[in-house]
Amino acid sequence: MTDALGPELLLELPGWGSRGRALEEALRSAIRGGRLVAGTRLPSSRDLASQLGLSRGTVTQAYEQLVAEGWLTARQGSGTRVAAGTAEAPARSGRSAGSAESAASARYDLRPGRPDGSAHARSPRHDLRPGRPDAYAFPREAWARAMRHVLREAPTEVFGFGDPRGRIELRTALASYLGRTRGVRVDPANLIVCSGYTQALGLLAEVFTELGVRTAGMEDPAIGDHVRLLAGRLRVAAVPVDASGLRVDALRDSGAEVAVCTPAHQFPLGVSMAPERRSELLEWADDSLGWIVEDDYDGEFRYDRHPIAALQSRRPSRIVYAGSTSKTIGPAVRLGWIACPPLLLEPLTEAKRRARETRPLEQLALARMIELGDYDRHLRTMRRGYQRRRDTLVAAVRSGLPDVRVRGIDAGLHALLELPAAPSERAIVEAARAASVDVHPLGEYVRGERDRHPPSLVVGYATPPAHSYPAALDALISGLRRL
């Protein structure tokens, strides 16, 4: 029976595909065309199922898919509504996204937080920077349910000072989850919860300095902020990365006592450390009693092959494993973790006690999501969505830029576009700017010899909401084609 107070919605379902896919496309078309404007409240799943003669489960799944893609929002008490900024903007004066008008709106320094100095500079229209998930896909409902439960059921002690290692509920849930999905071997007692990977790296730099470590070897290329964070306390040696991963021979020559690396999916080159290189790195740690810091920043996102287990599983006594929720849930949830060897537990716990406390309510909410399976379900949805985006990017590049090579696409949220025929990396960046596309050049991450790599762009395909992603790719392809 239809609720008379609920909104009605006229939709014509296309005749192809399943009924669920047809409903998704009908809703997308209505939003794209402006018939359903931002903020429009949609019927409940029960109402729409009754209106269209569909099962409620079909409507629910369609709503969930469009929420994940950013077309809709769903909040407790507010119902399902059309998300802001989803309608296609009408063309102005017949100009395309690649026109001079769009070029004038580009920001001329592609790094985040670095304006070009012009008083009139505006943000570029399309954001394809790496290292960012789709903020539209934040699991609002699951997170809200978990937080409501926590606020209702959490013991009073949660609102005071607690164990500097973090809540035992989350450490227990994480130990099980990391063992199940990443092969990490760790007891909850040896897990330290922190406020993201940046805090984890800062704590490690502090502890290594206290232990007398002088030099850390870090992959080259690597994220500049991470390099600078370590360099505040240690000498940082740039260790080259090739097609097999971090070069252990160069690590040995550097005299480093700590190796900081991304074995599963190197950032930004996207290579996975080869099995023989992994064995060499473990031998280095055994021979020199060195420490390995394993940054598993996007280990959950594997597309074309089975996930590669964390390196930590082969040497828990010498490897510090670090991860966070910044790619899986989003940077708004500042949660990370360190699976630390027993010898580092006491100094790391003391360093965490002196550092900023990690919010206990968010810790309990994440533990709840893991225990109920909501975290796994969210990751499955995101993995499918990001794989579709990856495939769309690859197809667009192969069709529109056949001379461009796409690298590092087996996993993660970014791809490396090599343009060997381009006059320079600067020319590539200028072309992207002219199309009002915000991307990062590979050279931004390189500290050693830049001519080891062809001119390249590091393109993040997770950042734009799903409804604007095709336009972002079109602008990128058209901009680079002008080269």
Side-chain angles (χ1 to χ4, degrees), residues 56-403:
R56 186 181 181 187
T58 297
V59 176
T60 299
Q61 289 178 7
Y63 276 179
E64 289 176 349
Q65 179 62 33
L66 295 180
V67 168
E69 293 179 5
W71 293 97
L72 304 176
T73 63
R75 298 184 184 180
Q76 185 72 21
S78 180
T80 303
R81 296 179 182 271
V82 177
T86 49
E88 289 184 337
R92 294 190 294 177
S93 304
R95 288 178 152 182
S96 67
S99 68
E101 181 180 42
S102 297
S105 69
R107 176 153 51 99
Y108 285 88
D109 187 328
L110 298 183
R111 291 169 292 178
R114 306 290 183 92
D116 67 357
S118 168
H120 303 289
R122 293 184 291 170
S123 296
R125 180 180 177 188
H126 305 293
D127 188 352
L128 289 173
R129 291 174 292 173
R132 294 163 169 78
D134 180 6
Y136 281 76
F138 185 91
R140 293 174 184 264
E141 286 299 311
W143 187 255
R145 283 195 303 270
M147 285 298 291
R148 284 195 299 271
H149 174 84
V150 166
L151 289 169
R152 186 174 61 248
E153 304 293 339
T156 304
E157 67 189 53
V158 168
F159 302 99
F161 293 105
D163 191 326
R165 293 172 298 174
R167 293 294 307 180
I168 184 59
E169 296 90 339
L170 178 56
R171 289 188 282 122
T172 300
L174 279 173
S176 175
Y177 169 78
L178 294 173
R180 170 170 55 85
T181 64
R182 303 298 298 126
V184 173
R185 296 159 53 193
V186 64
D187 188 275
N190 281 32
L191 271 170
I192 294 178
V193 179
C194 49
S195 303
Y197 178 75
T198 299
Q199 187 185 58
L201 192 59
L203 295 174
L204 289 166
E206 180 181 338
V207 167
F208 286 139
T209 301
E210 293 172 353
L211 296 177
V213 171
R214 294 178 299 247
T215 303
M218 202 163 190
E219 294 171 329
D220 181 14
I223 295 175
D225 285 347
H226 295 171
V227 177
R228 287 184 285 273
L229 180 59
L230 281 184
R233 290 182 174 270
L234 303 166
R235 183 178 79 86
V236 178
V239 183
V241 175
D242 60 20
S244 297
L246 179 139
R247 280 182 44 195
V248 181
D249 60 333
L251 176 66
R252 291 184 185 275
D253 293 343
S254 73
E257 300 138 282
V258 173
V260 182
C261 55
T262 51
H265 188 234
Q266 202 278 334
F267 187 91
L269 297 182
V271 300
S272 294
M273 190 176 288
E276 61 274 11
R277 196 65 62 83
R278 288 172 168 245
S279 297
E280 288 179 34
L281 183 58
L282 294 175
E283 289 174 8
W284 167 84
D286 293 338
D287 294 343
S288 64
L289 295 181
W291 299 103
I292 300 170
V293 177
E294 181 177 13
D295 177 7
D296 196 27
Y297 68 100
D298 65 357
E300 288 89 351
F301 298 112
R302 290 271 151 190
Y303 308 127
D304 298 325
R305 61 169 182 258
H306 291 298
I308 299 174
L311 189 63
Q312 186 268 1
S313 62
R314 296 180 58 183
R315 203 73 86 252
S317 62
R318 303 305 306 177
I319 298 179
V320 182
Y321 175 91
S324 78
T325 59
S326 66
K327 306 294 185 297
T328 56
I329 294 182
V333 178
R334 302 299 299 169
L335 289 177
W337 44 85
I338 305 171
C340 58
L343 288 176
L344 297 180
L345 179 59
E346 185 175 341
L348 271 172
T349 301
E350 177 59 21
K352 184 62 174 71
R353 185 189 65 78
R354 297 191 298 264
R356 184 181 69 225
E357 184 182 14
T358 301
R359 298 171 181 171
L361 294 178
E362 292 190 352
Q363 294 184 50
L364 291 176
L366 179 59
R368 176 78 175 170
M369 283 187 64
I370 294 173
E371 290 164 359
L372 293 180
D374 288 340
Y375 191 60
D376 285 78
R377 280 188 286 273
H378 171 68
L379 285 175
R380 283 194 294 271
T381 298
M382 300 312 299
R383 193 179 297 120
R384 289 193 296 268
Y386 289 148
Q387 183 171 3
R388 286 194 295 268
R389 293 184 183 216
R390 190 273 319 253
D391 294 344
T392 302
L393 169 65
V394 172
V397 171
R398 288 177 178 168
S399 173
L401 301 167
D403 294 332

